[in-house]
Amino acid sequence: MLDPNDRFLTCRGILRWHYGHRSPEFDGPPRRHYSLHYTYRNGDQMYVASKVRKERGRVPFHRQFAILRALGDGDPQSVVRPPVRPRRGGRDWVTGLGNRWFVRSYTEHDQSPDWLSLSLVRDAARKLATVHRTSSTMDADVLRTPAHNLRVYDWPLLDVLGQSDAVVTDMRTRDRIPRHIDMVSAGLGRLRAERRSLDLGPEGLTHHDLRTENILVRDGEVVEIVDWDRAHWDVQWYDVTLAGLHLANQRPGAPRWDLTDVFLDAYRAESGTGLSADALAWLFRFTAIRNLAVSRSPDKWARLLPRVEERWGDGGLAFVNDFVAEDQVAPDLNVTAEDGGTVGAVTVG
């Protein structure tokens, strides 16, 4: 008989009933990466069981799993892993009153990858391009989610740009500081005016939260991209500029734009797509403004925005400095899961 105080009691029951994993050996207590994640061994295989909160306005769970299946099933070279199938068929997850559970195979990975390594940066860019290319065969209906069902946090590019008033209202409801609200309002206004003549490249599947914490690395190579809970149809180069900014921001005081440039060049070569200089500059500025609006680490983006405007703006640095000076921005907080996560947020080990 199980001890009623066993912290794994609920998890054990789900593993036994839904997945047929009757004798899991847990690797210590669960780890929190926005959600709870239990690493365990069943037989000779390692798995991760994730407990995630139900939240309105997220990409629907069935769409998230459809994307994972389409990208990962049957391709041993894929860097996207599908969830473990249940024992008796049916849904890939278990629904509780306030949360959902699902299981995926555990990917062995390095705890502290060297993201200053140019070879690793290039590999990540090539793997992203491969995922984007693979997704071109997916049914677009799987990727398209009606914007009115999504919270602002998950809106695609055109909705953020076309409904900037709603973005600003959302910031106010979350008690964001007035200086940041003014920066976003003015920035989106400028970007909307400049958007009309720009070609932002192909649309398709986007990860929408591509940062180093969501890229698992082993022996200097990318082995898995996780945390696909925000994935949907959008401008694919948004993934590229977002990853480029996260790479540069590893040294906040002196951004590593050389890492950004290496990532851009490798993605461009592997994908066979590219943007004009004006379109690329616009997308970098949009990415910084958008994340200032929605990120749980706004101070980081407020500090990075002047650097982005300095490198990719056209006289826009004065616009930024009207609202914020570097010495007015608080230091970054150590936020492990900056923007949350649902499916696949399992960088635990």
Side-chain angles (χ1 to χ4, degrees):
M1 182 174 179
L2 288 173
D3 181 351
N5 295 317
D6 184 352
R7 70 166 69 226
F8 303 116
L9 179 60
T10 303
C11 185
R12 287 181 191 276
I14 288 172
L15 296 180
R16 182 185 303 112
W17 164 64
H18 199 66
Y19 295 99
H21 294 175
R22 296 188 175 280
S23 302
E25 300 175 11
F26 290 92
D27 183 20
R31 304 194 183 191
R32 183 174 294 278
H33 183 81
Y34 188 72
S35 307
L36 280 181
H37 305 284
Y38 300 75
T39 304
Y40 69 96
R41 177 180 295 278
N42 187 73
D44 59 354
Q45 297 291 321
M46 292 290 291
Y47 299 91
V48 177
S50 297
K51 179 183 180 182
V52 300
R53 295 193 300 268
K54 291 180 181 177
E55 294 179 285
R56 288 188 174 184
R58 303 302 299 267
V59 175
F61 232 58
H62 70 275
R63 289 179 184 266
Q64 297 177 36
F65 280 92
I67 290 170
L68 291 173
R69 289 254 172 253
L71 292 176
D73 268 353
D75 182 0
Q77 301 302 315
S78 175
V79 292
V80 181
R81 305 283 187 267
V84 172
R85 293 188 183 276
R87 178 178 54 173
R88 296 189 179 93
R91 287 183 171 179
D92 290 327
W93 65 92
V94 176
T95 300
L97 290 177
N99 52 67
R100 295 184 177 92
W101 292 81
F102 68 95
V103 172
R104 60 180 292 280
S105 60
Y106 174 79
T107 298
E108 184 180 355
H109 59 280
D110 301 335
Q111 295 298 318
S112 300
D114 180 13
W115 282 106
L116 299 180
S117 164
L118 300 187
S119 63
L120 176 56
V121 170
R122 291 189 187 97
D123 189 57
R126 289 192 289 263
K127 299 290 174 57
L128 174 63
T130 299
V131 171
H132 282 172
R133 184 167 57 247
T134 301
S135 70
S136 64
T137 61
M138 294 176 62
D139 184 350
D141 289 338
V142 172
L143 304 178
R144 294 186 188 276
T145 303
H148 66 272
N149 289 333
L150 292 179
R151 58 182 179 173
V152 172
Y153 182 72
D154 290 328
W155 280 3
L157 182 151
L158 289 181
D159 291 302
V160 172
L161 207 61
Q163 302 183 57
S164 56
D165 289 345
V167 175
V168 169
T169 298
D170 178 74
M171 293 179 72
R172 291 196 177 104
T173 63
R174 291 183 287 117
D175 296 323
R176 298 290 292 274
I177 64 175
R179 185 171 67 250
H180 290 177
I181 293 173
D182 291 341
M183 291 171 70
V184 169
S185 180
L188 289 178
R190 292 178 67 243
L191 290 164
R192 186 169 55 249
E194 299 169 8
R195 163 71 181 88
R196 296 185 184 90
S197 61
L198 298 176
D199 178 2
L200 299 179
E203 295 184 1
L205 174 70
T206 56
H207 182 280
H208 248 260
D209 191 18
L210 197 63
R211 47 198 169 90
T212 56
E213 295 88 343
N214 290 333
I215 303 175
L216 305 189
V217 176
R218 186 169 63 244
D219 299 330
E221 294 187 355
V222 173
V223 291
E224 186 171 358
I225 299 175
V226 300
D227 202 355
W228 288 87
D229 64 296
R230 299 176 64 186
H232 56 271
W233 185 278
D234 204 357
V235 172
Q236 290 186 317
W237 268 81
Y238 175 81
D239 275 352
V240 184
T241 53
L242 180 61
L245 291 180
H246 281 301
L247 286 167
N249 200 55
Q250 292 180 97
R251 299 283 176 85
R256 289 291 305 268
W257 298 127
D258 59 316
L259 300 178
T260 305
D261 291 339
V262 167
F263 191 86
L264 294 175
D265 290 343
Y267 180 86
R268 189 182 293 113
E270 184 69 26
S271 68
T273 68
L275 301 182
S276 69
D278 287 344
L280 186 62
W282 185 97
L283 195 53
F284 269 111
R285 290 160 51 220
F286 170 84
T287 303
I289 287 287
R290 180 195 182 282
N291 283 277
L292 174 59
V294 303
S295 172
R296 293 191 181 96
S297 301
D299 289 333
K300 178 181 78 174
W301 291 98
R303 184 163 61 247
L304 184 59
L305 181 57
R307 308 286 190 179
V308 172
E309 286 287 345
E310 184 177 23
R311 192 168 198 259
W312 280 288
D314 183 15
L317 187 58
F319 140 75
V320 173
N321 289 336
D322 284 343
F323 297 108
V324 59
E326 285 191 61
D327 61 359
Q328 293 176 303
V329 179
D332 280 338
L333 299 176
N334 182 17
V335 181
T336 302
E338 173 191 308
D339 292 324
T342 302
V343 173
V346 291
T347 50
V348 297

